[in-house]
Amino acid sequence: MIYLDNAATTPVYIDAAKAAEQVYLDVFYNPSSTYPGGIAAKKLINEARKIVASALNCSPNAIYFTSCATEANNWALNCGLKNKKGNIVIGLGEHACVYECAKALKSSGLDVRFVPLDTDGRVTPEALKATMDENTGLVSIMHVSNETGVINDIASLSELAKTIAQRCVFHSDGVQAYLKTNNDVQRNGVDMYSLSGHKIGAPKGIGALYVSPKLNIRPFIYGGGQENGMRSGTENVAGIVALGVATEVYRARYDAQKVKANRETLINGLRSVPDVKIIAENAPNTGLIVAFTALNTKAEIVQTLCAESGVIIGRGSACSSKHSGNRVLSAMGLPQKEIDGALRIGLSPDTTPVEIETAIETIRTSVERLRGGRIG
Ligand code: PLP
């Protein structure tokens, strides 16, 4: 099987799984306990915190572990607006966990505004400027799109946001960006940044939120005071440790040149399939997500035919795949007939050129079978 849906989730690195196993079996203690086992568990958590902090170039004290990025994003949106004063601005391309949360805040009476996207799916400075005003208290713009892999220039956007509303908090969903592009939270000028373990070879059920030490935001979950009183609940020690290990493994395996070469091979191959169009081909991107549309096909059928031939590819956000249409591609202005055939390939640092060549031929055959009515 060739797995090319790494934007949906990744297999767990063996070293991360082994580290988690060791916690389950040997260091299973409650990290809040003050006897040696508990102290050892707490030490493991703090070692992982240092690793994640080093990847983001921040102080370990600024990292809070959460159950997933959905939680981290909900925390940022629910608690990032100081004293609930001012308006909230989010990009129209945000993942459902930001978008739906923002919609819920809007229904509760807050002034929530949505920034339109350009045809590459990016938030432009002009669009942000037109949506914000001096009363904006919170801005949330994703770093990398989970639909297209396109990178938003969050450094410029955060700088601009703060010239319009000096005290606004700038949050970015970094799930598809973590370890895949420049994540330096200081250089990017972000106040909050979310990430998820299962996109980089850690298990599902672990995420983190960076919160700038300069911010004074409310805790998200009240209880026993874990995570410095900000996010109570007994820590997922195994998940946290695995996130630390996966971060190190991913960083060691990631090779920007290889990622670029793989993307080129993939794009050139897809272009050779008749009536296939690469989505946002020329916008800055991580190289790890390639979205394309095969005209006159239905994405779910092509996806199934590919899976039957042993090639797993995605189609848009896995979390939203039960919903019809595609909110983000629509916001980019894609016509329905292009959205109908839209698929997404998620590469990993370990993807090989042979896997890519096989995937291209499988996609070609599946598309031709479907167009020729030769299925079933
Ligand atoms: N944000 C983005 C951009 C994502 O791609 C995802 C996962 O698909 C999430 C948030 C949610 O992450 P999690 O599954 O850890 O809740």
Short mmCIF file of all heavy atoms in Angstrom, two decimals, residues 7-9 67-73 93-98 142 144-147 173-177 194-199 204-207 317-319 344, ligand 1:
data_model
loop_
_atom_site.label_atom_id
_atom_site.label_comp_id
_atom_site.label_asym_id
_atom_site.label_seq_id
_atom_site.Cartn_x
_atom_site.Cartn_y
_atom_site.Cartn_z
N ALA A 7 -1.59 14.55 5.02
CA ALA A 7 -2.15 15.79 5.58
C ALA A 7 -3.34 15.45 6.48
O ALA A 7 -3.73 16.24 7.32
CB ALA A 7 -2.58 16.73 4.46
N ALA A 8 -3.90 14.25 6.29
CA ALA A 8 -5.01 13.81 7.15
C ALA A 8 -4.45 13.26 8.46
O ALA A 8 -4.88 13.62 9.56
CB ALA A 8 -5.85 12.75 6.45
N THR A 9 -3.49 12.38 8.32
CA THR A 9 -2.78 11.86 9.49
C THR A 9 -1.56 11.10 9.00
O THR A 9 -1.45 10.79 7.81
CB THR A 9 -3.68 10.96 10.37
OG1 THR A 9 -3.08 10.81 11.66
CG2 THR A 9 -3.89 9.58 9.75
N SER A 67 -5.17 18.19 24.10
CA SER A 67 -5.54 16.86 23.60
C SER A 67 -5.43 16.78 22.08
O SER A 67 -5.42 15.69 21.53
CB SER A 67 -6.96 16.51 24.02
OG SER A 67 -7.86 17.37 23.35
N CYS A 68 -5.40 17.90 21.41
CA CYS A 68 -5.32 17.93 19.95
C CYS A 68 -5.28 19.39 19.51
O CYS A 68 -5.43 20.29 20.35
CB CYS A 68 -6.53 17.23 19.31
SG CYS A 68 -8.12 17.96 19.81
N ALA A 69 -5.10 19.61 18.22
CA ALA A 69 -5.07 20.99 17.74
C ALA A 69 -6.46 21.61 17.76
O ALA A 69 -6.60 22.83 17.90
CB ALA A 69 -4.49 21.04 16.34
N THR A 70 -7.49 20.79 17.61
CA THR A 70 -8.85 21.32 17.69
C THR A 70 -9.03 22.02 19.04
O THR A 70 -9.57 23.12 19.13
CB THR A 70 -9.88 20.18 17.52
OG1 THR A 70 -9.73 19.65 16.19
CG2 THR A 70 -11.30 20.65 17.72
N GLU A 71 -8.54 21.36 20.09
CA GLU A 71 -8.64 21.97 21.42
C GLU A 71 -7.80 23.25 21.49
O GLU A 71 -8.26 24.28 22.00
CB GLU A 71 -8.19 20.97 22.49
CG GLU A 71 -8.33 21.56 23.88
CD GLU A 71 -7.65 20.74 24.97
OE1 GLU A 71 -7.66 19.50 24.91
OE2 GLU A 71 -7.10 21.37 25.89
N ALA A 72 -6.57 23.17 20.97
CA ALA A 72 -5.68 24.35 21.02
C ALA A 72 -6.33 25.53 20.29
O ALA A 72 -6.31 26.67 20.78
CB ALA A 72 -4.34 24.00 20.40
N ASN A 73 -6.93 25.26 19.15
CA ASN A 73 -7.57 26.34 18.38
C ASN A 73 -8.81 26.88 19.10
O ASN A 73 -9.05 28.09 19.11
CB ASN A 73 -7.95 25.84 16.98
CG ASN A 73 -6.73 25.74 16.08
OD1 ASN A 73 -5.71 26.40 16.31
ND2 ASN A 73 -6.81 24.92 15.05
N GLY A 93 -10.41 30.55 5.00
CA GLY A 93 -9.86 29.23 4.66
C GLY A 93 -9.54 28.38 5.87
O GLY A 93 -8.94 27.31 5.74
N GLU A 94 -9.92 28.85 7.05
CA GLU A 94 -9.52 28.13 8.27
C GLU A 94 -10.13 26.74 8.33
O GLU A 94 -11.21 26.48 7.81
CB GLU A 94 -9.95 28.94 9.51
CG GLU A 94 -9.35 30.32 9.60
CD GLU A 94 -7.84 30.33 9.64
OE1 GLU A 94 -7.26 29.63 10.47
OE2 GLU A 94 -7.22 31.04 8.82
N HIS A 95 -9.44 25.87 9.04
CA HIS A 95 -9.95 24.52 9.31
C HIS A 95 -11.27 24.62 10.09
O HIS A 95 -11.50 25.61 10.81
CB HIS A 95 -8.90 23.77 10.14
CG HIS A 95 -9.21 22.34 10.40
ND1 HIS A 95 -9.93 21.92 11.48
CD2 HIS A 95 -8.89 21.22 9.71
CE1 HIS A 95 -10.05 20.60 11.44
NE2 HIS A 95 -9.42 20.15 10.37
N ALA A 96 -12.08 23.59 9.97
CA ALA A 96 -13.40 23.61 10.63
C ALA A 96 -13.30 23.93 12.13
O ALA A 96 -14.21 24.57 12.68
CB ALA A 96 -14.08 22.26 10.43
N CYS A 97 -12.23 23.52 12.78
CA CYS A 97 -12.17 23.74 14.23
C CYS A 97 -11.97 25.21 14.58
O CYS A 97 -12.26 25.60 15.72
CB CYS A 97 -11.14 22.84 14.89
SG CYS A 97 -9.45 23.12 14.40
N VAL A 98 -11.50 26.01 13.65
CA VAL A 98 -11.44 27.46 13.87
C VAL A 98 -12.74 28.08 13.34
O VAL A 98 -13.39 28.87 14.01
CB VAL A 98 -10.22 28.08 13.16
CG1 VAL A 98 -10.27 29.60 13.19
CG2 VAL A 98 -8.93 27.58 13.81
N MET A 142 -4.57 30.95 9.50
CA MET A 142 -3.77 29.72 9.49
C MET A 142 -2.44 29.93 8.77
O MET A 142 -2.35 30.73 7.83
CB MET A 142 -4.56 28.56 8.88
CG MET A 142 -4.72 28.64 7.38
SD MET A 142 -6.07 27.60 6.75
CE MET A 142 -5.86 26.06 7.59
N VAL A 144 -0.51 27.39 7.23
CA VAL A 144 -0.50 26.62 5.97
C VAL A 144 -1.87 25.98 5.80
O VAL A 144 -2.42 25.39 6.74
CB VAL A 144 0.59 25.53 6.00
CG1 VAL A 144 0.43 24.55 4.85
CG2 VAL A 144 1.98 26.16 5.97
N SER A 145 -2.40 26.08 4.60
CA SER A 145 -3.73 25.51 4.33
C SER A 145 -3.67 23.98 4.29
O SER A 145 -2.83 23.41 3.59
CB SER A 145 -4.25 26.03 3.00
OG SER A 145 -5.36 25.24 2.58
N ASN A 146 -4.60 23.35 4.99
CA ASN A 146 -4.69 21.88 4.96
C ASN A 146 -5.28 21.41 3.64
O ASN A 146 -5.20 20.23 3.30
CB ASN A 146 -5.53 21.35 6.13
CG ASN A 146 -6.86 22.04 6.24
OD1 ASN A 146 -6.94 23.24 6.47
ND2 ASN A 146 -7.94 21.28 6.07
N GLU A 147 -5.88 22.32 2.88
CA GLU A 147 -6.48 21.93 1.60
C GLU A 147 -5.46 21.95 0.47
O GLU A 147 -5.52 21.13 -0.44
CB GLU A 147 -7.62 22.90 1.23
CG GLU A 147 -8.75 22.95 2.24
CD GLU A 147 -9.74 21.80 2.08
OE1 GLU A 147 -9.64 21.04 1.10
OE2 GLU A 147 -10.60 21.66 2.97
N ASP A 173 -3.03 28.94 13.24
CA ASP A 173 -3.14 27.49 13.27
C ASP A 173 -1.94 26.94 12.48
O ASP A 173 -1.88 27.08 11.26
CB ASP A 173 -4.47 27.10 12.62
CG ASP A 173 -4.63 25.59 12.45
OD1 ASP A 173 -3.66 24.85 12.66
OD2 ASP A 173 -5.75 25.16 12.10
N GLY A 174 -1.01 26.35 13.21
CA GLY A 174 0.24 25.91 12.57
C GLY A 174 0.28 24.42 12.28
O GLY A 174 1.35 23.86 12.04
N VAL A 175 -0.91 23.76 12.29
CA VAL A 175 -0.93 22.29 12.20
C VAL A 175 -0.21 21.76 10.96
O VAL A 175 0.59 20.83 11.04
CB VAL A 175 -2.39 21.79 12.25
CG1 VAL A 175 -2.49 20.31 11.88
CG2 VAL A 175 -2.97 22.01 13.63
N GLN A 176 -0.49 22.36 9.80
CA GLN A 176 0.13 21.84 8.57
C GLN A 176 1.48 22.51 8.30
O GLN A 176 2.11 22.25 7.27
CB GLN A 176 -0.80 22.04 7.37
CG GLN A 176 -2.13 21.33 7.48
CD GLN A 176 -2.03 19.81 7.38
OE1 GLN A 176 -1.00 19.25 7.00
NE2 GLN A 176 -3.11 19.11 7.71
N ALA A 177 1.89 23.36 9.23
CA ALA A 177 3.15 24.09 9.05
C ALA A 177 4.25 23.55 9.96
O ALA A 177 5.44 23.66 9.65
CB ALA A 177 2.92 25.56 9.35
N SER A 194 -0.87 26.99 17.16
CA SER A 194 -1.37 25.65 17.50
C SER A 194 -0.66 24.58 16.66
O SER A 194 -0.33 24.83 15.50
CB SER A 194 -2.86 25.53 17.19
OG SER A 194 -3.56 26.64 17.67
N LEU A 195 -0.49 23.41 17.24
CA LEU A 195 0.07 22.29 16.47
C LEU A 195 -0.53 20.97 16.92
O LEU A 195 -1.13 20.88 17.99
CB LEU A 195 1.60 22.28 16.56
CG LEU A 195 2.20 22.12 17.95
CD1 LEU A 195 2.57 20.67 18.21
CD2 LEU A 195 3.46 22.99 18.07
N SER A 196 -0.34 19.97 16.07
CA SER A 196 -0.94 18.66 16.33
C SER A 196 0.10 17.56 16.11
O SER A 196 0.86 17.62 15.13
CB SER A 196 -2.11 18.46 15.38
OG SER A 196 -2.67 17.17 15.55
N GLY A 197 0.09 16.56 17.00
CA GLY A 197 1.09 15.49 16.88
C GLY A 197 0.90 14.56 15.70
O GLY A 197 1.87 14.13 15.06
N HIS A 198 -0.38 14.28 15.36
CA HIS A 198 -0.59 13.18 14.40
C HIS A 198 -0.31 13.57 12.95
O HIS A 198 -0.46 12.74 12.05
CB HIS A 198 -1.97 12.53 14.59
CG HIS A 198 -3.14 13.33 14.12
ND1 HIS A 198 -3.80 13.05 12.96
CD2 HIS A 198 -3.79 14.37 14.67
CE1 HIS A 198 -4.82 13.89 12.82
NE2 HIS A 198 -4.83 14.71 13.85
N LYS A 199 0.13 14.81 12.74
CA LYS A 199 0.54 15.18 11.37
C LYS A 199 2.05 15.02 11.19
O LYS A 199 2.57 15.25 10.10
CB LYS A 199 0.16 16.64 11.07
CG LYS A 199 -1.26 17.03 11.44
CD LYS A 199 -2.32 16.41 10.54
CE LYS A 199 -3.70 16.89 10.96
NZ LYS A 199 -4.76 16.41 10.11
N LYS A 204 -2.40 10.13 17.49
CA LYS A 204 -3.54 11.06 17.58
C LYS A 204 -3.82 11.34 19.06
O LYS A 204 -3.53 10.50 19.91
CB LYS A 204 -4.77 10.42 16.93
CG LYS A 204 -4.62 10.32 15.42
CD LYS A 204 -5.42 9.18 14.84
CE LYS A 204 -4.95 8.81 13.45
NZ LYS A 204 -3.56 8.28 13.39
N GLY A 205 -4.40 12.51 19.31
CA GLY A 205 -4.77 12.81 20.69
C GLY A 205 -3.73 13.60 21.45
O GLY A 205 -3.73 13.61 22.68
N ILE A 206 -2.83 14.26 20.73
CA ILE A 206 -1.90 15.15 21.41
C ILE A 206 -1.66 16.38 20.53
O ILE A 206 -1.46 16.28 19.32
CB ILE A 206 -0.56 14.45 21.78
CG1 ILE A 206 0.34 15.38 22.59
CG2 ILE A 206 0.17 13.89 20.56
CD1 ILE A 206 -0.19 15.72 23.95
N GLY A 207 -1.73 17.53 21.17
CA GLY A 207 -1.47 18.79 20.46
C GLY A 207 -0.81 19.76 21.42
O GLY A 207 -0.49 19.41 22.57
N SER A 317 -10.12 18.28 3.54
CA SER A 317 -9.99 17.99 4.94
C SER A 317 -10.71 16.70 5.31
O SER A 317 -11.90 16.55 5.06
CB SER A 317 -10.58 19.15 5.74
OG SER A 317 -10.65 18.81 7.08
N ALA A 318 -9.97 15.75 5.90
CA ALA A 318 -10.58 14.46 6.27
C ALA A 318 -11.71 14.67 7.27
O ALA A 318 -12.71 13.96 7.25
CB ALA A 318 -9.52 13.53 6.84
N CYS A 319 -11.57 15.69 8.14
CA CYS A 319 -12.60 15.93 9.16
C CYS A 319 -13.90 16.38 8.53
O CYS A 319 -14.96 16.26 9.12
CB CYS A 319 -12.17 17.03 10.13
SG CYS A 319 -10.53 16.85 10.73
N ARG A 344 -6.54 15.52 -2.98
CA ARG A 344 -5.41 16.10 -2.25
C ARG A 344 -4.39 15.01 -1.94
O ARG A 344 -4.73 13.97 -1.38
CB ARG A 344 -5.92 16.70 -0.94
CG ARG A 344 -4.82 17.24 -0.06
CD ARG A 344 -5.35 17.69 1.28
NE ARG A 344 -5.72 16.58 2.14
CZ ARG A 344 -6.07 16.70 3.41
NH1 ARG A 344 -6.13 17.88 3.97
NH2 ARG A 344 -6.40 15.63 4.12
N1 PLP B 1 -6.01 22.57 11.80
C1 PLP B 1 -5.59 22.07 10.63
C2 PLP B 1 -5.04 22.99 9.59
C3 PLP B 1 -5.67 20.69 10.38
O1 PLP B 1 -5.25 20.20 9.21
C4 PLP B 1 -6.20 19.85 11.39
C5 PLP B 1 -6.37 18.40 11.15
O2 PLP B 1 -6.81 17.97 10.10
C6 PLP B 1 -6.61 20.44 12.60
C7 PLP B 1 -6.50 21.78 12.76
C8 PLP B 1 -7.17 19.60 13.70
O3 PLP B 1 -6.15 18.88 14.34
P1 PLP B 1 -6.51 17.71 15.38
O4 PLP B 1 -6.87 16.52 14.57
O5 PLP B 1 -5.24 17.53 16.18
O6 PLP B 1 -7.60 18.19 16.22
#
